[in-house]
Amino acid sequence: MSDIIQQSIYIDYSEQQTLHLRYIAQDNATGPAIFFMHGAVENGKIFYTHSNKGLAPFLAKHGYRCYVADLCGRGESKPSIGPGASYGQTEAICHEIPAFLSKITEHAGEFPRFWVAHSWGGVLFNSVFARFPEYIKKVSACAYFGSKRSLYNRHPSKFLKGNLVWYWLAPKKAKKYGYLPARKLKWGSDDETVKSHFQSMQWAKVKPWIDSDDGFDYGHAIKRLALPPTLHIAGVKDKALAQPIDIKKFMQESGCGIQEFKLYGRSHGHHHDYGHIDMLTHPQAQRDQFQDVLAWFSRYG
């Protein structure tokens, strides 16, 4: 097996902004391309380390060509989010993700056949499918880790992290600083713009799936679409951000395609009780959910 290489690919997105993709693959790999999307207050590092730990290097070792995105201002996309940054999730859905797809297609010589998302990244991906249904037939399968849109669960930690922090305190901090300094506050690994926080906050509430910019009704658009076969992964210790009820509600509003739900923890025969972050970062994940993602892609590839 060849060594895993990593390479940064930059996209001239606008006069002011550059988008970053991390390419991870075996040297001279020719396998299918995979597109990775992080969630809110995150960046692409949720999927890899420079020492080749994580899901992207794991899949690269099995012959896939992995492309991990950093949305505008996150990770190694420049400039970083700061006061006055005005873009949000509408821009991510309508412009940034299509720009990533175009660059991946150019670099790989093919459209990415597999898509992987963590948390809010799954909502962005399904929103892209609703806006651009022509992408659906090009994608063989998806795997979403802890992806939900609205929070239905009533666990005490949900009221702390959701109601108190995300709905009440975060808007105050965003107003004070001109952006949400999630890294400084130790709420996440990256920051959010005022707009991206506001838009994700609205969708996280039990409200219609409608774009605040132009009124596009994602829920209506996606209702009768058969999205690519999607494996939904949950962790038994993910009590606040993506409990089974939250993920299953997201599955119900995500079209009529093939979807499968799996819960990961020792009581289900796995090697660790996984939470929202360590479902992707724990060393035992390669013996549990990473193997299932590999099998899922093999089944539908």
Side-chain angles (χ1 to χ4, degrees):
M1 185 179 294
S2 301
D3 291 337
I4 302 300
I5 62 167
Q6 295 194 23
Q7 172 192 357
S8 285
I9 300 170
Y10 294 96
I11 303 168
D12 292 328
Y13 176 65
S14 70
E15 290 184 2
Q16 295 80 30
Q17 294 167 320
T18 300
L19 296 176
H20 173 255
L21 269 173
R22 192 70 171 176
Y23 175 62
I24 304 171
Q26 294 179 29
D27 195 17
N28 298 318
T30 58
I34 305 179
F35 181 27
F36 293 78
M37 179 55 57
H38 63 80
V41 296
E42 281 181 9
N43 57 53
K45 285 288 190 66
I46 190 72
F47 297 111
Y48 71 96
T49 68
H50 288 292
S51 59
N52 286 325
K53 296 176 182 177
L55 179 58
F58 172 85
L59 291 172
K61 290 174 185 175
H62 289 84
Y64 291 95
R65 292 178 290 167
C66 300
Y67 294 85
V68 184
D70 286 328
L71 288 172
C72 260
R74 286 80 159 185
E76 295 184 49
S77 291
K78 301 300 179 186
S80 299
I81 290 171
S86 59
Y87 47 86
Q89 67 183 27
T90 305
E91 286 79 7
I93 293 163
C94 296
H95 305 294
E96 294 171 49
I97 291 176
F100 283 124
L101 291 169
S102 178
K103 177 58 73 171
I104 293 169
T105 302
E106 174 189 319
H107 187 270
E110 65 172 19
F111 193 87
R113 289 169 48 198
F114 301 98
W115 291 17
V116 175
H118 179 236
S119 196
W120 202 253
V123 179
L124 297 180
F125 271 174
N126 280 9
S127 300
V128 167
F129 286 133
R131 287 262 192 182
F132 306 100
E134 63 270 20
Y135 290 159
I136 296 171
K137 65 180 182 297
K138 299 180 179 181
V139 180
S140 298
C142 301
Y144 293 171
F145 287 74
S147 289
K148 55 81 191 56
R149 185 177 74 85
S150 301
L151 287 167
Y152 288 85
N153 83 76
R154 302 187 65 79
H155 193 274
S157 59
K158 175 263 181 181
F159 290 98
L160 173 64
K161 294 182 179 180
N163 296 61
L164 180 61
V165 172
W166 200 243
Y167 299 159
W168 183 77
L169 188 56
K172 295 180 182 296
K173 294 293 185 180
K175 183 177 181 180
K176 176 182 178 179
Y177 291 99
Y179 72 108
L180 181 61
R183 285 183 296 176
K184 177 180 179 179
L185 297 168
K186 301 188 186 311
W187 291 351
S189 58
D190 222 316
D191 301 327
E192 292 291 323
T193 67
V194 172
K195 181 178 179 180
S196 61
H197 167 260
F198 171 80
Q199 291 186 310
S200 63
M201 178 178 65
Q202 297 308 306
W203 283 3
K205 298 174 183 178
V206 182
K207 287 186 173 184
W209 191 357
I210 294 174
D211 198 286
S212 62
D213 273 16
D214 63 4
F216 184 87
D217 191 330
Y218 296 92
H220 177 76
I222 208 169
K223 185 178 295 184
R224 294 178 178 82
L225 295 175
L227 302 191
T230 303
L231 175 64
H232 290 266
I233 291 163
V236 295
K237 292 186 73 175
D238 191 352
K239 300 299 185 183
L241 301 177
Q243 280 203 34
I245 185 175
D246 306 316
I247 294 174
K248 289 177 179 178
K249 288 287 189 180
F250 180 48
M251 292 168 68
Q252 289 172 10
E253 65 179 1
S254 293
C256 56
I258 297 168
Q259 299 187 83
E260 185 174 314
F261 172 86
K262 294 195 73 172
L263 183 61
Y264 290 82
R266 288 191 176 95
S267 61
H268 297 273
H270 303 113
H271 295 85
H272 179 70
D273 290 331
Y274 296 97
H276 193 67
I277 298 297
D278 72 359
M279 63 173 61
L280 277 165
T281 61
H282 196 279
Q284 295 291 353
Q286 62 183 327
R287 302 174 66 188
D288 293 326
Q289 52 268 33
F290 289 9
Q291 294 291 339
D292 289 344
V293 170
L294 194 64
W296 186 260
F297 288 171
S298 178
R299 183 188 311 176
Y300 292 104

